Amino acid sequence: MTRAWVLRSLRDDRYEDLALKRGLVAIGWADVGNLTGSPDLAQILDAVRAKYQFVERESVASYARQLFDFRSTMTPGDLVLLLRRSSPDVAAGHVNGDYQYSRQLPGGYRHIRPVRWAVHDIPRSLIELELRSVPSLLMVHQLDADVDLTRIDELVTKNIRLPATNAATVPEDAGELTPIAHLRANLSYARSLATAGNTLGTLKPQSFDVNDVFRAAWVQAVAGLDHWVRQELRARLRALAEQVGGRKPRRFAELEISLDQVQRVLRDEMSFADAVDEYVTKARGHLAYQQPDRIRDAFSLVTDTANFWNRVATVLRERTDEDKPADGKEVQARLADIVHRRNKIAHEYDEVPNEPGRKRDIDGAAVMRVIDWIDQLCGAILVVVDQDRTGRDLP
């Protein structure tokens, strides 16, 4: 049975063009060395441990698993989907060779697979539903067996542009979706806007500024972050309220539940979890969760947030191929810049200072980088929060 793999484009600006022209796909972790003679997971794990001694153990395990999948699980004939950085598109093709180790690629990328690319520009919005389960912090991911590849196969083998799946629409049973699933739906909509902007740009309409579609995608991505923090906070507060015994964060114990709520709990008119949920809805429902300080404050109700942003930076640095943040200050600065631009778009027409009527430049590639970074940021925050919950060592 043909497997399907999703890979993220590497951050070197030269890589994408080179990969599509030469017919290959590559991944990082060059320090591990040549894996041609190391087909087993245990061998690869030992090699990763030897070269990444100061990396968190969960990251080491993730590196090894992805290298093993790329080296040994992936086979000729498998479908490959490359999430591009330079546009809101996906390149697709089939693996047509075994693992190779090369010193010829720019950016220090060594591990490669030959690929016969069939198409370079599938709008991501067309297959967003199939991609929604792809973890934001993995460079190599095998799509689950229950993902229907029929639509993707039609796009790749026959170049038939089927209608887009409605991935951005929250279904009727949305109450059952996890916060991260809601985030993916919102970011899917933002990507759809970016794709629409690219399509409209080719038509060169005169009646409106196509770049405003990209600006709408930027605003939507930040709104998705805000909504995710709000939902994640409510879900975790409720879980803590339902938890009998166990260690709870100091700020959770300091929540101010009203006497009326206490009486209703005592009369069995509502549960304690309902009282906590009511509190967070009424007392914090008006807050926006976009700025770094506000996000850290929100999660302090459900976890220990000491050194919070530095720990998030560690996860991003170790588990993504984006620009590596040196510390939490860089992560906060980038988020603040994204939110600042969002506010300029929403409230000030995105005008260039001292140049009335002229808007700042924006394009689909820039918006896609913001959307993907927000996706990875939320994934890194979840890693940090769940490390606290499970009692694992923190970086």
Side-chain angles (χ1 to χ4, degrees):
M1 180 179 178
T2 301
R3 287 177 287 252
W5 300 88
V6 177
L7 286 89
R8 297 183 183 277
S9 188
L10 301 172
R11 71 178 181 274
D12 190 292
D13 291 339
R14 298 166 293 176
Y15 164 73
E16 205 168 277
D17 185 59
L18 179 148
L20 296 177
K21 286 183 177 178
R22 293 194 187 180
L24 58 86
V25 68
I27 59 174
W29 307 298
D31 290 345
V32 173
N34 192 343
L35 297 177
T36 303
S38 303
D40 299 330
L41 178 59
Q43 293 174 304
I44 294 175
L45 183 58
D46 287 343
V48 172
R49 283 174 176 157
K51 293 298 182 180
Y52 295 94
Q53 299 179 25
F54 303 103
V55 172
E56 180 190 350
R57 66 174 181 270
E58 286 86 0
S59 297
V60 168
S62 177
Y63 297 175
R65 181 77 244 182
Q66 292 177 78
L67 284 164
F68 172 74
D69 282 342
F70 189 81
R71 157 67 180 84
S72 299
T73 309
M74 187 181 291
T75 57
D78 284 355
L79 175 67
V80 171
L81 302 172
L82 178 66
L83 306 184
R84 301 183 60 179
R85 283 171 51 89
S86 61
S87 72
D89 295 329
V90 177
H94 292 88
V95 178
N96 65 344
D98 294 331
Y99 164 85
Q100 299 175 14
Y101 183 80
S102 172
R103 296 183 179 277
Q104 306 305 315
L105 294 184
Y109 302 115
R110 301 286 183 259
H111 312 291
I112 69 172
R113 280 271 187 172
V115 174
R116 184 179 65 256
W117 296 111
V119 59
H120 297 176
D121 60 348
I122 300 175
R124 184 162 171 173
S125 59
L126 292 183
I127 55 173
E128 195 67 56
L129 186 62
E130 290 86 349
L131 299 179
R132 189 184 288 176
S133 63
V134 177
S136 59
L137 297 178
L138 293 184
M139 297 298 296
V140 181
H141 175 71
Q142 181 181 348
L143 286 180
D144 296 336
D146 60 354
V147 174
D148 185 359
L149 299 179
T150 304
R151 289 171 39 79
I152 298 178
D153 185 63
E154 293 287 310
L155 289 164
V156 174
T157 62
K158 301 178 182 178
N159 200 26
I160 298 175
R161 293 304 171 93
L162 301 176
T165 51
N166 204 13
T169 300
V170 179
E172 292 181 3
D173 61 348
E176 300 177 8
L177 291 180
T178 62
I180 199 68
H182 277 282
L183 172 70
R184 297 278 163 75
N186 284 320
L187 295 184
S188 293
Y189 181 54
R191 291 189 181 99
S192 296
L193 287 170
T195 299
N198 275 4
T199 302
L200 289 169
T202 63
L203 302 176
K204 303 186 185 303
Q206 302 297 315
S207 58
F208 68 97
D209 183 358
V210 170
N211 287 340
D212 283 342
V213 180
F214 297 132
R215 294 183 178 93
W218 191 298
V219 172
Q220 171 66 23
V222 176
L225 167 65
D226 188 323
H227 187 241
W228 172 74
V229 174
R230 188 181 310 279
Q231 285 195 310
E232 196 70 46
L233 176 62
R234 288 187 64 184
R236 290 177 182 271
L237 280 172
R238 188 174 189 91
L240 283 171
E242 292 172 344
Q243 174 185 312
V244 178
R247 181 176 65 91
K248 293 183 174 64
R250 175 184 57 82
R251 288 203 62 202
F252 175 83
E254 295 174 352
L255 291 179
E256 297 179 355
I257 305 299
S258 69
L259 287 177
D260 175 66
Q261 289 174 311
V262 172
Q263 289 178 329
R264 289 159 64 195
V265 170
L266 293 175
R267 291 195 299 263
D268 289 330
E269 295 175 2
M270 70 187 313
S271 68
F272 177 58
D274 288 336
V276 170
D277 190 62
E278 187 177 271
Y279 157 79
V280 74
T281 301
K282 291 183 177 180
R284 303 182 69 90
H286 65 287
L287 300 177
Y289 297 107
Q290 300 173 5
Q291 293 290 352
D293 288 347
R294 188 63 58 79
I295 292 174
R296 180 184 179 277
D297 177 73
F299 281 105
S300 72
L301 294 171
V302 296
T303 191
D304 175 16
T305 53
N307 212 25
F308 180 76
W309 287 112
N310 280 334
R311 290 150 57 191
V312 170
T314 296
V315 176
L316 289 172
R317 186 167 59 249
E318 293 182 355
R319 304 197 193 184
T320 72
D321 195 60
E322 294 296 316
D323 296 333
K324 307 295 186 180
D327 54 27
K329 289 182 179 179
E330 285 193 20
V331 177
Q332 293 180 79
R334 182 167 185 183
L335 176 56
D337 285 345
I338 290 171
V339 174
H340 179 74
R341 180 72 183 270
R342 177 265 172 204
N343 292 338
K344 290 291 184 181
I345 293 170
H347 306 300
E348 298 182 16
Y349 191 64
D350 205 23
E351 279 190 339
V352 176
N354 302 319
E355 296 187 41
R358 182 184 166 215
K359 298 182 182 181
R360 294 199 289 176
D361 293 335
I362 193 170
D363 58 28
V367 171
M368 285 298 293
R369 285 194 292 271
V370 167
I371 296 170
D372 288 343
W373 188 80
I374 288 176
D375 195 5
Q376 293 178 334
L377 173 70
C378 294
I381 289 173
L382 280 181
V383 169
V384 169
V385 174
D386 286 339
Q387 281 173 331
D388 273 357
R389 181 175 57 83
T390 57
R392 286 179 283 177
D393 293 337
L394 297 174

